[in-house]
Amino acid sequence: MSQTYYEFGTAADRWDRAQMFFEAKEYVTAARILGGLVEEVPEQVAPRLLLARSYYHSARLGKAEEELRAVLELDPVETYAHLMLGRTLERQGRAADAAPHLRMAAALTGDFGPGAAHA
């Protein structure tokens, strides 16, 4: 694919642009921009997390799962990544695979649900 105007500029410019497209619910375009950023700075969590969200919202669940697992390799206590991975797996019909991630997200936020104090 050829590059378009939104793929040019500094990393900060492209990050801002990707966020703008994401907020406008242009998830495919946001993902295209974010993919380049992730290639440049694979160790940064924020671009990967927004890329995963873009994939999730554009129903590219396999790609979302891949990015979320990469985020969790970089930051194993990233609460939102656990929650989102759980939701992504649920959306793929993989409730058993989702459960540990949803439990971890709940534990990290202290949200143990109703009756947890009695457990």
Side-chain angles (χ1 to χ4, degrees):
M1 273 186 180
S2 65
Q3 287 188 325
T4 55
Y5 78 93
Y6 48 75
E7 295 173 285
F8 289 101
T10 67
D13 292 338
R14 286 178 285 135
W15 171 248
D16 290 342
R17 205 171 294 126
Q19 289 179 305
M20 179 191 69
F21 279 106
F22 184 87
E23 290 169 11
K25 298 183 180 181
E26 295 287 338
Y27 303 118
V28 172
T29 303
R32 186 171 175 184
I33 298 165
L34 291 162
L37 285 173
V38 166
E39 284 180 20
E40 288 177 35
V41 286
E43 71 284 355
Q44 289 191 4
V45 169
R48 279 192 184 275
L49 196 52
L50 191 57
L51 178 57
R53 292 176 66 199
S54 297
Y55 285 147
Y56 179 87
H57 288 296
S58 60
R60 294 186 284 175
L61 302 178
K63 288 183 170 281
E65 179 183 350
E66 183 180 312
E67 289 304 325
L68 290 164
R69 291 189 186 281
V71 166
L72 291 172
E73 281 184 33
L74 294 168
D75 186 356
V77 294
E78 171 50 63
T79 306
Y80 191 68
H82 279 288
L83 176 64
M84 219 177 131
L85 181 55
R87 298 267 168 85
T88 299
L89 294 168
E90 281 181 331
R91 197 168 162 193
Q92 294 178 52
R94 297 166 53 194
D97 293 336
H101 294 286
L102 296 173
R103 282 193 303 271
M104 179 63 79
L108 290 168
T109 61
D111 180 12
F112 297 101
H118 304 295

